[in-house]
Amino acid sequence: MNRGMFGYLVLLAFGLVAPFVIYPVLMMKILCFALFACAFNLLLGYTGLLSFGHAAFFGTAAYVAGHAIKVWGLPTELGLLAGVIASALLGWAFGSLAIRRLGIYFAMVTLALAQMMYFLFLQAPFTGGEDGLQGVPRGKLLGFVDLANDINLYYFVLAIFVAAFWLIYRTIHSPFGQVLKAIRENETRAVSLGYDVAKYKLLAFVLSAALAGLAGATKMLVFKFATLTDAHWHQSGEVVLMTILGGMGTVLGPVVGATVIVTLQNELADKVGSLVTVIMGSIFVICVLLFRRGVVGEIAALYKRMLGEKA
Amino acid sequence: MTEIFGIPIQAFMGQLMLGLVSGSFYAMLSLGLAVIFGMLNIINFAHGALYMVGAFLGWMCLEYLGIGYWPALLLSPLVVGVVGMLIERLMLQWLYKLDHLYGLLLTFGLALILEGSFTNAYGVSGQSYSIPEELSGAFNLGFMYLPKYRAWIILASLLVCFATWFVVEKTRLGANLRAATENPKLTQAFGINVPLMVMLTYGFGCALAAFAGVLAAPAIQVSPLMGSNLIIIVFAVVVIGGMGSILGSILTGLGLGVIEGLTKVFYPEASATVVFVIMAIVLMIRPAGLFGKEK
Amino acid sequence: MQRKLLSIALAAMLIPAANFAYAQAKPAAKPAAMKISGDTVKIGVLTDMSGVYSDLGGQGSVIAAQMAIDDYVAQYKPKFKVEMVYADHQNKADVGSNKVREWYDTQGVDMVTDALNSGVAIAVSKVTQEKNRIMINAGAASTRLTNEDCSPNTVHYVYDTYALANGPGKAVTKAGGDTWFFLTADYAFGTSLEQDTSNAVKANGGKVLGSVRHPLNASDFSSFLLQAQASKAKVVGLANAGGDTINSIKAANEFGLTKNQRLVGLLTTIIDIHALGLPTTQGMMFTEGFYWNLNDDTRVWSRRFFSKHKKMPSMLHAGTYSAIMTYLKAVQATGTDDAATVMKKMKATPINDFFAKNGKIREDGRMEHDMYLVEVKKPAESKEPWDYYNIKAVLPGNEAFQPLALSRCPLLKK
């Protein structure tokens, strides 16, 4: 088996034993954000579209899934599915609008549309506004696995993550993924080759939104509530940071970025308070100026260089 | 008590006036964004944060140095302008050859740094800044009270916007600026120092934001978060108006402020989202924006 | 290669499967009922350290909590250690809730207090119930904590929106302010306060003409106040607190609202009066839970607090102190930190200290105690800094709060 596969299996093994060494709730939070970042990376790293409003999908799925489970009484799996469908639909709506502009305008449009969702959530009665949608029961998986137990829930979340990650991996390495990369590299040439670029972009957007929604709905399940923080533009900025820090355009980059950022926030929140925002901002600035390939990107480049020298 | 469309005239005119005030801020800030974008091709996400810094500097001048409102109106934009120029020289200039998105990301990071630092130092709830003596009180127009300070905001911002438009469109400096935007290499060949112009432009844009901040300080709470909510609306304004012309940005800003104010009268629940809804509609009918040119 | 991958993956699945089976077979270990876990009682103070409510609770609550712990250990010399941790919830339900969950799971915190901000408090109350610890809420106001969201693990200690509403709701309406318009903070606390005050106004013959919601920590109240003016109500009720109340009052003065309409700050504390000054606030009437200048006991304690915090205590500060004392006494009396046992002891013990007179914790978690209807002094009447209140009436505990019979708490057996 090749080195890549081995690497993934090592990570999987770590994931399997992690809850016994690390606080499971923290691990689940990392997994959810890693999924969010991977979904985002599909759009940024592989299609070249910077969306500054992905928190809208994260939050929408969280609220819809929470509402479905708490108020409509849907079983957990169907509740999550409802959330994913909601964010996919929203992704289709926002994507269709945003794709009409390119580059920076695309980013601004996504930001503005996400902010609109934020205000809708603030006012809609079913979300609980500032109080949030609270007390969502975790339910039982397939009717008998009690998810109130943190360990059980952890393996469920891990399974979701692995499945979604595999889906993203396959998408990236498929013909569809190749077209996306072509669009990122040179959109005009892709058009001249006869590809319906708008359709590909929209599809990538919807997929990214749906998986971001899955991440949001799962996170909601872990913490048993959905709040405005999930849909706030700070959340959109954070996922951009995770992807860039980890390395956009790499498969594992977002996972690394998410792990670093979530852990950092967890450790520092008590000690330095609002300086966490300053640190996030500084990491952004440093990454953009000096560290554009991100952690995984730099390691890969280093590795290639070492191999190149040896050859 | 007279009524317009079933709303007491005092409430209607009051909200209209508040709408004009908001519109003035939208106009000033989108103007700054347009000027910077025109020259640097960078969307300055830090614009909102610099607006906040401008307001805070005005407050700090009063609090720590005893410097009043009128000097602060000049001092604060000056300081922020210099800071802007430093940002341009030290950080932004390395990004011109790269994808424009990096500029957005860098300025986003800067916005976070500024917001976080001030939150850390002063907390999230606002500091108050009193209205200067000369401008406090209100004009009793009979059908409504018009607070003097709000009238001043509208006047000052119109003056500044007009002055900027005049410089850019009608003076030689402005002509050089526009030439440098269209064809930097050729302009440089004519002996005009393009990098200097770029730096000064960015500094000017930041100063404009800071001026808006000082103007806002007596009217609303000076808080570290005051810029971030505003900047996103300004982005929507910019998308609606298109960044092709200065006049376009000013008109769009004012217009949207008024529309928002009227929405508050007739349908208050929608007032927070009306600008975004309009943006969505404009995107569907005229993607380049109302005054934009297809690029 | 695919087959190899599959077999390894399947083998890897055995690990969680084994653990799953193990976890089902053996119930999770519980600490023995009659002991104090780790011989340490840990108290968590969850508050707003830097936001719109930071002056009402914040650093002052942490100071009050430390005072309580120090005084208790010095006076009662318990066999167990008492420790405190504190955190800033930033007025976000998710931040507060996650922090408390982490405290319970990884740091062995037994009791959480303050928790001002009703949205946060309701979220924390649920986590507390899930993890079977105790929350003694000294900071939040919403009556939901003892009604819809009541819990056997939560005590609502200091004040609530019902008590706040009834004082001015009755007094101002009866004095001629019979049409009201509300400016409401748009979350659990504001809506709760608006609801309770509306009920009080209507019960006393008044009418509610309308209301407008504003976001928490709003920066600009002008458009909301315009709507209040347009309503032509005689009274504008401010269903908000802390920084929001202060800013609403300032803006109201700027727009000339106070010339024609009466402002009632429904949750006002001495901290807000100090920030606004007597000239602006004289004559205001509202319900308070504590006044430092009430009697010798309150004066002695408050001056000690003042020497540490440099400001006089709000009812949240005094309440946090009293809550911790009550809790620690119950722990020592029962010899355990098991939530149900301690709660039972607390509900069976009357409370009479400098903070609470005729205090009793009811079945639904509500702590009844005497409240005060206060009026702000005119500047000429005030003899020293912080001497701001005239006590108009004492509202006895069993009348000030919502009667148990009307409670919507699902736990009460009907």
Side-chain angles (χ1 to χ4, degrees):
Chain A
M1 107 172 78
N2 66 38
R3 248 178 243 108
M5 275 303 147
F6 184 71
Y8 287 124
L9 281 175
V10 165
L11 282 177
L12 184 64
F14 174 69
L16 289 168
V17 297
F20 303 103
V21 247
I22 305 176
Y23 181 37
V25 176
L26 179 63
M27 275 307 298
M28 288 192 274
K29 189 174 179 192
I30 291 179
L31 283 175
C32 291
F33 278 104
L35 177 57
F36 188 22
C38 287
F40 180 78
N41 189 30
L42 193 62
L43 206 57
L44 176 63
Y46 289 98
T47 321
L49 294 172
L50 172 62
S51 152
F52 239 107
H54 252 54
F57 311 121
F58 195 68
T60 299
Y63 277 118
V64 170
H67 191 77
I69 294 176
K70 181 177 178 196
V71 178
W72 294 338
L74 285 184
T76 312
E77 308 87 349
L78 290 182
L80 291 182
L81 189 62
V84 172
I85 292 176
S87 50
L89 286 172
L90 195 70
W92 182 83
F94 282 4
S96 321
L97 279 175
I99 282 174
R100 288 159 179 266
R101 302 301 298 272
L102 296 174
I104 291 185
Y105 288 100
F106 178 83
M108 291 200 292
V109 169
T110 52
L111 178 58
L113 288 172
Q115 187 74 342
M116 182 176 78
M117 287 310 292
Y118 176 81
F119 282 118
L120 284 173
F121 286 140
L122 181 55
Q123 292 176 330
F126 87 94
T127 60
E130 293 262 6
D131 307 323
L133 183 70
Q134 293 180 15
V136 180
R138 285 188 188 158
K140 294 189 187 333
L141 177 63
L142 299 175
F144 69 94
V145 178
D146 185 11
L147 292 174
N149 179 324
D150 281 347
I151 302 280
N152 289 349
L153 184 64
Y154 174 79
Y155 286 114
F156 180 48
V157 172
L158 185 64
I160 292 179
F161 175 77
V162 170
F165 186 80
W166 178 86
L167 178 66
I168 293 177
Y169 186 85
R170 294 291 296 157
T171 308
I172 291 170
H173 290 94
S174 71
F176 175 72
Q178 297 291 26
V179 178
L180 292 183
K181 278 185 231 165
I183 295 176
R184 179 191 70 197
E185 293 300 318
N186 194 329
E187 187 167 331
T188 331
R189 191 176 291 173
V191 172
S192 68
L193 282 172
Y195 287 109
D196 185 349
V197 165
K199 207 162 71 166
Y200 277 91
K201 281 198 214 172
L202 186 59
L203 210 54
F205 199 91
V206 173
L207 190 59
S208 176
L211 290 171
L214 181 61
T218 312
K219 180 178 104 64
M220 183 276 308
L221 207 61
V222 172
F223 291 108
K224 303 171 67 150
F225 55 66
T227 63
L228 289 174
T229 311
D230 299 332
H232 195 257
W233 62 271
H234 266 172
Q235 192 66 66
S236 296
E238 254 179 50
V239 76
V240 178
L241 180 60
M242 289 176 196
T243 310
I244 290 190
L245 175 62
M248 57 179 173
T250 66
V251 184
L252 278 176
V255 179
V256 171
T259 312
V260 170
I261 297 292
V262 173
T263 316
L264 210 65
Q265 281 179 336
N266 206 51
E267 292 305 305
L268 293 179
D270 287 339
K271 303 182 179 88
V272 297
S274 350
L275 284 180
V276 174
T277 317
V278 178
I279 294 176
M280 297 288 139
S282 313
I283 297 180
F284 242 116
V285 171
I286 293 173
C287 277
V288 168
L289 285 176
L290 302 168
F291 203 50
R292 248 162 262 133
R293 284 180 288 210
V295 171
V296 174
E298 289 293 335
I299 292 179
L302 197 69
Y303 195 58
K304 275 202 194 89
R305 236 201 331 248
M306 279 177 10
L307 278 186
E309 280 168 28
K310 283 203 176 128
Chain B
M1 165 55 57
T2 39
E3 298 204 336
I4 292 184
F5 302 117
I7 311 279
I9 196 169
Q10 189 199 4
F12 182 83
M13 293 305 291
Q15 293 287 19
L16 197 64
M17 176 211 55
L18 285 181
L20 268 177
V21 171
S22 304
S24 309
F25 286 116
Y26 295 159
M28 266 193 291
L29 289 174
S30 67
L31 181 60
L33 276 181
V35 166
I36 292 178
F37 183 74
M39 270 304 271
L40 285 76
N41 251 315
I42 285 183
I43 284 296
N44 188 22
F45 209 111
H47 219 68
L50 290 165
Y51 157 85
M52 180 268 293
V53 172
F56 254 105
L57 276 178
W59 176 81
M60 292 200 278
C61 277
L62 186 63
E63 185 81 1
Y64 302 133
L65 300 172
I67 297 178
Y69 175 79
W70 299 101
L73 259 185
L74 285 167
L75 203 58
S76 171
L78 219 68
V79 171
V80 173
V82 169
V83 169
M85 291 196 269
L86 280 172
I87 294 176
E88 197 276 334
R89 275 296 97 183
L90 295 175
M91 296 192 253
L92 286 176
Q93 68 162 324
W94 309 115
L95 301 180
Y96 297 145
K97 304 187 208 76
L98 301 174
D99 193 308
H100 300 326
L101 295 177
Y102 283 110
L104 177 61
L105 293 173
L106 182 85
T107 51
F108 181 77
L110 287 174
L112 286 181
I113 293 178
L114 287 171
E115 227 182 74
S117 321
F118 277 88
T119 307
N120 194 50
Y122 293 103
V124 165
S125 52
Q127 314 293 334
S128 67
Y129 188 91
S130 8
I131 300 178
E133 273 301 314
E134 306 83 13
L135 293 170
S136 50
F139 298 112
N140 188 344
L141 297 175
F143 56 86
M144 67 171 288
Y145 273 97
L146 177 64
K148 286 188 190 159
Y149 191 73
R150 314 252 165 185
W152 160 246
I153 290 180
I154 302 175
L155 186 66
S157 51
L158 280 178
L159 280 172
V160 165
C161 288
F162 178 73
T164 309
W165 171 82
F166 187 81
V167 166
V168 172
E169 296 289 326
K170 300 284 179 204
T171 64
R172 193 188 176 100
L173 175 64
N176 289 344
L177 221 86
R178 279 178 288 133
T181 313
E182 293 213 16
N183 199 331
K185 286 215 166 72
L186 194 58
T187 316
Q188 189 131 23
F190 273 92
I192 294 174
N193 189 342
V194 173
L196 181 67
M197 299 215 94
V198 170
M199 183 180 81
L200 286 175
T201 307
Y202 190 75
F204 174 71
C206 299
L208 207 56
F211 180 78
V214 179
L215 216 53
I220 65 180
Q221 292 300 299
V222 177
S223 116
L225 297 180
M226 65 194 278
S228 47
N229 290 325
L230 190 56
I231 194 66
I232 301 182
I233 301 187
V234 176
F235 278 175
V237 169
V238 156
V239 172
I240 294 173
M243 283 195 283
S245 78
I246 297 210
L247 209 54
S249 315
I250 300 174
L251 287 175
T252 320
L254 282 170
L256 284 169
V258 170
I259 293 179
E260 208 184 50
L262 290 176
T263 316
K264 280 203 184 123
V265 181
F266 295 110
Y267 191 18
E269 293 80 23
S271 55
T273 50
V274 66
V275 179
F276 302 121
V277 170
I278 294 180
M279 181 192 76
I281 296 173
V282 167
L283 275 173
M284 289 195 282
I285 344 178
R286 208 185 133 94
L290 295 173
F291 298 94
K293 308 178 186 103
E294 291 283 359
K295 266 202 181 163
Chain C
M1 212 279 270
Q2 295 280 57
R3 219 171 290 160
K4 223 177 169 182
L5 200 60
L6 203 59
S7 52
I8 292 182
L10 280 174
M13 288 302 154
L14 284 177
I15 305 180
N19 261 297
F20 167 64
Y22 178 68
Q24 305 309 306
K26 178 182 166 209
K30 268 210 184 110
M34 287 312 172
K35 252 176 45 183
I36 293 176
S37 45
D39 280 322
T40 309
V41 173
K42 248 192 184 152
I43 295 175
V45 178
L46 184 71
T47 185
D48 173 11
M49 293 295 244
S50 59
V52 61
Y53 296 141
S54 51
D55 287 326
L56 296 185
Q59 194 61 38
S61 292
V62 177
I63 290 177
Q66 194 60 61
M67 274 173 71
I69 294 174
D70 295 339
D71 288 354
Y72 185 83
V73 170
Q75 187 182 351
Y76 291 86
K77 302 197 202 319
K79 290 197 196 68
F80 49 84
K81 288 204 297 281
V82 185
E83 284 174 14
M84 175 184 75
V85 288
Y86 66 91
D88 181 1
H89 60 55
Q90 301 171 33
N91 286 309
K92 294 194 184 133
D94 47 293
V95 173
S97 170
N98 293 347
K99 191 75 217 158
V100 166
R101 182 184 290 272
E102 202 188 302
W103 274 349
Y104 290 153
D105 282 340
T106 60
Q107 294 201 40
V109 168
D110 303 296
M111 190 272 272
V112 167
T113 184
D114 197 359
L116 64 79
N117 184 312
S118 301
V120 177
I122 293 173
V124 170
S125 177
K126 291 191 165 43
V127 176
T128 307
Q129 187 175 6
E130 192 192 318
K131 303 280 173 185
N132 198 27
R133 310 294 162 100
I134 288 188
M135 169 165 97
I136 306 185
N137 190 308
S142 172
T143 36
R144 273 172 61 182
L145 281 168
T146 48
N147 282 290
E148 293 87 348
D149 295 300
C150 69
S151 144
N153 298 69
T154 296
V155 176
H156 198 173
Y157 203 78
V158 177
Y159 68 110
D160 65 23
T161 50
Y162 186 94
L164 290 175
N166 267 312
K170 191 161 152 190
V172 173
T173 311
K174 283 219 154 91
D178 54 4
T179 50
W180 285 63
F181 184 90
F182 288 104
L183 180 58
T184 307
D186 193 5
Y187 75 109
F189 156 65
T191 47
S192 190
L193 188 51
E194 183 193 318
Q195 184 68 50
D196 286 327
T197 314
S198 291
N199 293 342
V201 166
K202 288 186 205 147
N204 283 291
K207 254 177 36 171
V208 176
L209 297 182
S211 73
V212 65
R213 304 256 165 103
H214 72 79
L216 182 63
N217 198 19
S219 54
D220 186 13
F221 283 92
S222 32
S223 83
F224 306 116
L225 287 168
L226 274 183
Q227 293 185 49
Q229 275 180 313
S231 74
K232 305 243 158 286
K234 290 190 194 139
V235 182
V236 175
L238 299 174
N240 52 26
D244 285 336
T245 300
I246 294 179
N247 294 331
S248 313
I249 295 178
K250 280 202 192 131
N253 276 307
E254 187 196 330
F255 275 81
L257 187 141
T258 40
K259 293 198 181 78
N260 304 325
Q261 292 168 301
R262 180 169 185 173
L263 270 183
V264 175
L266 290 164
L267 171 49
T268 320
T269 65
I270 203 163
I271 316 271
D272 308 311
I273 306 297
H274 189 77
L276 287 163
L278 285 179
T280 316
T281 55
Q282 58 184 308
M284 282 189 139
M285 258 207 285
F286 45 87
T287 313
E288 257 278 28
F290 178 77
Y291 180 39
W292 71 273
N293 210 359
L294 198 60
N295 54 46
D296 289 327
D297 286 338
T298 61
R299 275 187 280 268
V300 162
W301 186 85
S302 304
R303 289 198 203 282
R304 271 181 63 206
F305 179 86
F306 187 89
S307 64
K308 290 186 208 274
H309 186 52
K310 304 290 172 272
K311 291 190 199 151
M312 279 301 178
S314 70
M315 58 177 162
L316 289 83
H317 300 144
T320 303
Y321 180 98
S322 172
I324 291 180
M325 283 298 226
T326 306
Y327 176 73
L328 288 174
K329 283 187 200 155
V331 170
Q332 192 166 27
T334 56
T336 172
D337 59 7
D338 169 58
T341 320
V342 175
M343 185 60 88
K344 197 159 155 207
K345 180 73 184 164
M346 286 199 297
K347 285 185 177 168
T349 317
I351 300 167
N352 263 307
D353 57 12
F354 76 96
F355 165 72
K357 295 274 170 279
N358 302 316
K360 179 174 108 79
I361 301 180
R362 303 187 321 199
E363 253 183 279
D364 56 352
R366 175 70 245 163
M367 203 278 266
E368 281 180 351
H369 64 104
D370 292 347
M371 300 285 279
Y372 311 99
L373 180 66
V374 307
E375 191 187 38
V376 180
K377 288 185 172 172
K378 301 199 212 346
E381 290 173 324
S382 168
K383 295 181 200 53
E384 53 174 311
W386 295 96
D387 176 29
Y388 297 146
Y389 291 163
N390 282 325
I391 309 287
K392 298 298 269 191
V394 173
L395 308 164
N398 52 7
E399 283 173 28
F401 295 95
Q402 185 183 39
L404 200 55
L406 293 178
S407 174
R408 303 181 287 283
C409 173
L411 290 177
L412 299 176
K413 301 182 220 341
K414 287 268 158 72

